[in-house]
Each structure stands twice: as structure tokens, then as C-alpha cells.
Amino acid sequence: MPLKLPSKFHYLILLSLFLIYLYSTSFLRQYSTQTTTTTISTPLSSTSTPCNFFKGRWVLEPKSPKPLYDENCPFHRNAWNCIRNKRENMGLINSWRWVPKDCDLIRIDPEVFLGFMRHRNIGFVGDSLNENFLVSFLCVLRAADAGAKKWKKKGAWRGAYFPKFNVTVAYHRAVLLAKYEWKPKGSAVASGLKGIYRVDVDIPADDWATVTDFYDVIIFNTGHWWGYDKFPKETPLVFYRDGKPILPSLDLFDGLQVVLQSMVSYIQKDVPGKTLKFWRLQSPRHFYGGDWNQNGSCLFSEPLKEQELAMWFDPSNNGVNKEERMVNNMIEKALHGTDIQILDFSHLSEFRADAHPAVWLGKKDAVAVWGQDCMHWCLPGVPDTWVDILSILIRNMLDTR
């Protein structure tokens, strides 16, 4: 005769099974939540440790993915469209991949990035090297929104609106950042000269000062116009503060130092606190045998070696391209103690003497008039790597706010 269990015992068994079920489902929910959190908080580089994207080496990868755009990008500037201009070795130029020292650099996914930036705007302010950077960025992002339209509102020199994501990315030309204007011969301040360029060190250029509240991210630069080739002694820069000439008068690089200090102070005080601010350091030039107006050339077929960089760029060697590191030192001092993030693309770009437009400028007689272009970059090219790095930094920094 089977043993009959007490009814209380049945009750205890059912209660135990119910409690086990509750525990197991609660555990699974907790585990699932922890896994999602870990994935979201994983850095956008491929390692869990902080990554210095600016130190590393170029590795030749002949089977590396093709660039995200070609010569048909509508945002190209003709002189940098090296595929259309039939520049030699463009396939090789874009087969070199930048590998940071302690981590991998993941190529931007334009769809993901624009989705992250939805309803936000990115501005570039500075000289034509920031324009070079911008054009790369626009062409890369267009891969995710073929309906992107040219945009030149709010005083922008060049830009694009991406309607699928409601994102604007634009460039405002302000080569000195500070306000400056030409004063011709015959005016009181240009006595004995062909004329001068008056620079008000304490007044930002109108081209950008009135639009900073429109942008959620701004990338600044200056430095490439600060040379005697642009402002010779016959037509010098003359520096003013509070509407009066600074006395004793400043030479060009002392003036740059004062402008940097004033513009950084203005950015800290007047650019909205919500804005993520970057400053791109100098993009190196690669003129060999003379400057741009002295038949300098950059017809190289591969990147420079690490041991060659000092010969090209160390100021103590007094080379044609020495100003890059000199100006960078001044910029870094001016930015010390601020919340402006440094984009140090200088070192990774120093290697790439092979990646400039050189003689392939897209216009007849351009080289005879302007010389080789060993300053700007072919597109697609090196600035696409700048875009990869910037996109990661923007996402990481906005994610942590």
C-alpha cells in the first residue's frame, strides 16, 4: 500500500519550487543587466585600458579596406581630389594603416556615428588645414547619408547638412582666430610700408565668434599662416590691444603667443560650457630642398622612417619644416589648465611625406604659380585617420558627460 504524504508536506514542496523559480529568474535578469552595462561602458577602442591614439606606427596592409569615398564626393576641393587629378600611388597611399602603440584604432562607422550625433552639430574653425580635415569628414559621413546637402549658413565657408540625422558639420575660416584687417599704404599706421595687417589680439574674428552656441563640438586650429612667407616685412602683422598698438611692437611669433593666450581665454569664458572643445595641433609640411616658393618638393613614394623625423622637424636642425614643433609648443602652453582637448595629429602625420598632392593639383600651370603642395593632404588620405580618432574621442567624451 503506497505511503500517503501529509498535505503540509505537499505545501512545502510547492513553496520550495516557487522560491527556486523566483531566485533563478531574478538572477537571470540581474546577469542580463550586468552584461548590457559592461557592453555599453566598454571603451570604443578594442582594449579596456585608456588608449593614446597619437603614438604608434604606420603598417602597410595591401588588402586593407578601401576608403569610404572616392573622387565623386560632392564636397571635394579640387586641389585635394588626388584620384581625379590622377596622382600616382593613391592605392599605396591608402594601404598604410595607423596602429596606435597600445590598442587598435577602429575605423569610423558613419551610420553609427551620425546616429549618435543626431540633432547635434560639429564646427571647425581655423585655416585651410582644418578645411582639409573637414572635407575628409564630410566625405566619410556622406557614406551614411547620400542625401547630404552643401551648407554655408551662419557665415560658414564650407559645410554639409545630413538630413537623415539632422546633423550639420561646417567650417568657419579664421586663419589667425583673432580679428585682422588690411591697412593700405598711406594710412597713419602704415607709414613707410606698402601696408600692414592690423591684428586685434583681444577680439576674435567675427567669422566664428558669433556662432559658437550653434555647435555641440568645435575643433579649433591656427598656426599655418604664422610665417614671414605670408606676412613679409613689407606688409607685416601689427598687433593691437584695447584698440591701441602694443608697444614695444611684437615680432610675428611673440604676437602669435599673445593671440593664443587671448583666444584661449575667450574660448574658456565665452564659448558655452556644454560645447565639447578640441584644438588640433599643427599638420606637418614636407617640403624638401626649399620652401613652397623655393621649388620645395615632396615626391616621395613611402612614409618617412622614425629616425628621419628629427632631421625634418626638430627646430635645432633649422630645417624648412621646423615651425611645426615650435608652434605646437606654444599652443600646448596656452592650453595648459583648460578643458580644451588637444588633438595631437602632428606625430602620426610627420611620417607621411608621401601623401600630399605635390604636383597633382588639378589645374594647368598651378605648380608654376604656387609650387608643389606639400602642406595639404590628398583625399582620401591621412585626414581620414584623423576622422577615425576624432569620432572615437567625441563619442567617449560625450558619453561620459
Side-chain angles (χ1 to χ4, degrees):
M1 182 177 179
L3 182 64
K4 190 174 182 179
L5 295 175
S7 60
K8 288 185 178 179
F9 189 71
H10 283 98
Y11 174 78
L12 289 173
I13 291 174
L14 290 172
L15 181 61
S16 298
L17 289 172
F18 181 69
L19 291 173
I20 289 170
Y21 169 77
L22 286 178
Y23 176 80
S24 63
T25 55
S26 174
F27 174 79
L28 286 172
R29 281 197 302 271
Q30 183 180 14
Y31 178 78
S32 174
T33 302
Q34 288 173 344
T35 304
T36 303
T37 303
T38 301
T39 302
I40 291 171
S41 63
T42 299
L44 293 169
S45 66
S46 64
T47 63
S48 58
T49 55
C51 179
N52 182 353
F53 293 108
F54 307 121
K55 299 299 179 185
R57 60 195 176 95
W58 289 96
V59 176
L60 182 61
E61 293 188 354
K63 294 184 179 180
S64 58
K66 290 183 178 180
L68 291 167
Y69 60 98
D70 58 20
E71 69 273 23
N72 297 312
C73 172
F75 306 117
H76 262 303
R77 181 166 163 177
N78 184 53
W80 308 332
N81 191 346
C82 291
I83 298 177
R84 178 164 290 170
N85 297 339
K86 302 188 185 313
R87 195 217 192 279
E88 296 175 358
N89 296 326
M90 280 300 290
L92 180 59
I93 286 171
N94 286 294
S95 293
W96 292 92
R97 183 170 71 90
W98 178 249
V99 180
K101 184 178 179 182
D102 299 316
C103 57
D104 291 331
L105 175 59
I106 300 170
R107 185 159 87 161
I108 184 175
D109 181 326
E111 184 90 25
V112 171
F113 180 77
L114 282 171
F116 176 81
M117 292 300 296
R118 191 180 299 275
H119 308 309
R120 291 191 274 203
N121 304 311
I122 302 172
F124 290 74
V125 175
D127 56 37
S128 60
L129 270 299
N130 251 11
E131 184 183 3
N132 205 186
F133 191 2
L134 169 99
V135 172
S136 168
F137 209 0
L138 297 183
C139 289
V140 165
L141 294 179
R142 185 178 176 271
D145 189 353
K149 298 176 172 62
K150 292 181 180 180
W151 189 91
K152 295 180 71 173
K153 298 177 182 179
K154 296 185 179 292
W157 186 270
R158 183 188 293 265
Y161 174 65
F162 298 87
K164 184 177 173 182
F165 302 91
N166 189 29
V167 171
T168 299
V169 184
Y171 161 70
H172 296 260
R173 181 177 169 87
V175 298
L176 305 184
L177 291 185
K179 178 183 176 181
Y180 83 104
E181 59 183 338
W182 170 247
K183 295 291 185 182
K185 182 179 180 179
S187 59
V189 293
S191 178
L193 300 167
K194 292 181 179 179
I196 67 158
Y197 289 93
R198 169 176 168 164
V199 183
D200 287 276
V201 301
D202 49 352
I203 303 176
D206 290 338
D207 307 79
W208 65 274
T210 59
V211 296
T212 56
D213 59 347
F214 177 71
Y215 294 106
D216 301 276
V217 180
I218 304 180
I219 301 94
F220 295 94
N221 98 291
T222 190
H224 298 287
W225 275 60
W226 293 84
Y228 291 107
D229 58 326
K230 297 287 188 184
F231 300 106
K233 294 180 179 178
E234 297 80 16
T235 55
L237 296 177
V238 176
F239 299 95
Y240 282 65
R241 183 188 282 121
D242 297 326
K244 300 176 182 178
I246 296 176
L247 298 173
S249 59
L250 304 176
D251 68 18
L252 188 141
F253 285 105
D254 287 337
L256 169 58
Q257 191 167 30
V258 174
V259 167
L260 287 172
Q261 292 167 351
S262 295
M263 293 300 101
V264 169
S265 176
Y266 177 88
I267 292 167
Q268 286 290 94
K269 182 166 57 78
D270 288 278
V271 173
K274 68 175 180 63
T275 305
L276 178 57
K277 300 177 282 290
F278 292 96
W279 195 297
R280 183 186 59 74
L281 297 186
Q282 294 297 90
S283 175
R285 310 184 309 157
H286 289 95
F287 289 99
Y288 180 78
D291 214 325
W292 66 272
N293 55 356
Q294 301 168 333
N295 297 316
S297 175
C298 51
L299 298 175
F300 297 92
S301 59
E302 62 181 12
L304 300 177
K305 304 291 189 296
E306 179 89 41
Q307 59 270 24
E308 296 178 296
L309 299 183
M311 178 184 72
W312 278 76
F313 301 107
D314 191 320
S316 65
N317 290 326
N318 200 34
V320 171
N321 309 285
K322 65 181 182 297
E323 81 291 332
E324 174 226 8
R325 294 187 183 182
M326 291 170 53
V327 173
N328 279 353
N329 184 51
M330 297 168 68
I331 293 171
E332 288 175 307
K333 286 181 178 177
L335 295 179
H336 182 71
T338 72
D339 66 350
I340 303 171
Q341 307 297 317
I342 291 176
L343 294 174
D344 186 5
F345 297 138
S346 299
H347 177 67
L348 72 86
S349 305
E350 284 182 348
F351 292 92
R352 298 307 304 273
D354 60 313
H356 298 283
V359 300
W360 292 275
L361 300 176
K363 267 189 179 179
K364 186 180 179 181
D365 301 327
V367 175
V369 175
W370 299 106
Q372 292 190 30
D373 187 350
C374 303
M375 175 182 287
H376 301 98
W377 301 96
C378 279
L379 297 177
V382 171
D384 301 344
T385 297
W386 301 356
V387 168
D388 291 338
I389 294 173
L390 177 63
S391 67
I392 292 172
L393 295 177
I394 288 174
R395 290 191 63 188
N396 280 344
M397 291 177 183
L398 290 182
D399 260 342
T400 57
R401 288 192 163 193

